[in-house]
Amino acid sequence: MPYYTVKDGTEIYYKIWGPENGPVVVFSHGGPLNADNWEAQMFFLANHGFRCIAHDRRGHGRSSQPWEGKNMDTYADDLLALFEHLEIKDACMVGHSTGGGEVARFLGRHGTSRVRKAVLVSAIPPLMLKTDTNPLGTPMSTFDDCRAGMVADRAQFFVDVPTGPFFGFNREGAKNAYDCVTVFSETDLREDLRKIDISVLIIQGDDDQIVPIVASAHEAIKTLKHGSLKIYPGGAHALPDDINKDLLDFFQA
């Protein structure tokens, strides 16, 4: 399996699907998932001529499990190391949930010289936590309950989330994961969004119970210089069923 090693010795797993000379799409997964969450999109786009690359974020999937480094700056730096390792240029980026924050921080921290377009799907920017300057955010008590649930019964927590709010099934109709709650809930990405000077497509369902749309997509679109928003009526936090066509249309435009 292919790996690359970053400066602190962490080994990051990645996979590549699609023709060698195709235009590149780099995917960033949500937490606590891994690169496999993108297989449907990678298969679809690879069959339309794109070279699709996805990595397992540090502490996730097949990558190393370091005790330190679970913060958005390090995630973005790890991603830059992937770009450098594979000499990626003129890429499109796609991030889901926490991965959307990773994409935003990458672009805000490292610039857009290697990237031509980006897509944020059910993504955490600009800021999930409710603060004096972010009154539409989610109270800290919600994230404290999330962390407490992981510690009390980690197995049950990872049953309850996907069978409930992640896919919307409750509607009619580890350490790394623990640390990830702090990263996705408390990282302020507002300044990163302001720095992005490329076209960004935001995709989100209006019934997202994990990342409420009012405090995420509706706020993020106000900040982006070249942003567009597509809302899936009734859509949950999981990747929308029709996202493949949306990605293809956006990348080919």
Side-chain angles (χ1 to χ4, degrees):
M1 294 191 295
Y3 287 85
Y4 64 100
T5 304
V6 299
K7 59 185 179 182
D8 70 352
T10 299
E11 292 186 319
I12 307 292
Y13 167 85
Y14 67 95
K15 59 185 177 183
I16 303 177
W17 289 6
E20 184 174 352
N21 296 320
V24 174
V25 183
V26 177
F27 294 88
S28 291
H29 64 79
L33 306 174
N34 59 40
D36 296 346
N37 192 54
W38 292 111
E39 287 193 344
Q41 289 69 48
M42 293 176 69
F43 183 80
F44 175 83
L45 291 173
N47 279 291
H48 282 80
F50 288 84
R51 188 162 177 79
C52 300
I53 302 170
H55 69 298
D56 289 356
R57 190 176 301 116
R58 64 168 54 216
H60 295 70
R62 291 142 292 200
S63 293
S64 298
Q65 303 282 319
W67 191 257
E68 305 293 343
K70 266 57 71 66
N71 58 75
M72 203 61 80
D73 284 352
T74 304
Y75 293 165
D77 292 349
D78 289 347
L79 189 52
L80 176 64
L82 175 64
F83 272 70
E84 294 173 340
H85 176 69
L86 297 176
E87 299 182 345
I88 296 170
K89 299 177 181 177
D90 198 33
C92 295
M93 300 182 74
V94 187
H96 173 240
S97 193
T98 303
E102 181 178 89
V103 170
R105 179 53 53 88
F106 176 93
L107 297 172
R109 184 172 172 86
H110 298 299
T112 58
S113 63
R114 297 172 180 265
V115 184
R116 64 183 186 90
K117 289 185 176 182
V119 182
L120 307 180
V121 186
S122 306
I124 63 172
L127 173 61
M128 286 192 66
L129 183 66
K130 183 176 182 178
T131 66
D132 291 341
T133 60
N134 190 49
L136 296 176
T138 302
M140 178 64 82
S141 59
T142 300
F143 303 115
D144 288 340
D145 290 345
C146 183
R147 280 182 282 257
M150 287 185 184
V151 172
D153 191 337
R154 186 168 181 266
Q156 187 62 46
F157 179 85
F158 287 116
V159 169
D160 292 342
V161 173
T163 58
F166 191 91
F167 290 97
F169 292 155
N170 60 333
R171 295 298 198 202
E172 292 293 332
K175 164 75 162 88
N176 298 293
Y178 185 94
D179 289 344
C180 190
V181 176
T182 300
V183 176
F184 75 67
S185 64
E186 299 180 35
T187 302
D188 191 336
L189 296 155
R190 288 174 287 190
E191 188 59 33
D192 299 279
L193 295 180
R194 294 187 185 99
K195 294 177 181 178
I196 298 174
D197 57 4
I198 58 174
S199 295
V200 178
L201 171 62
I202 297 176
I203 296 174
Q204 189 158 8
D206 63 7
D207 191 31
D208 190 330
Q209 299 171 69
I210 306 295
V211 181
I213 192 171
V214 173
S216 54
H218 286 171
E219 291 299 305
I221 196 65
K222 299 175 185 177
T223 307
L224 291 165
K225 294 182 178 72
H226 307 289
S228 56
L229 172 62
K230 177 162 186 179
I231 298 173
Y232 277 71
H237 186 63
L239 294 170
D241 292 337
D242 297 335
I243 191 176
N244 292 350
K245 184 177 184 303
D246 290 335
L247 294 176
L248 182 63
D249 290 346
F250 181 62
F251 295 154
Q252 291 182 334

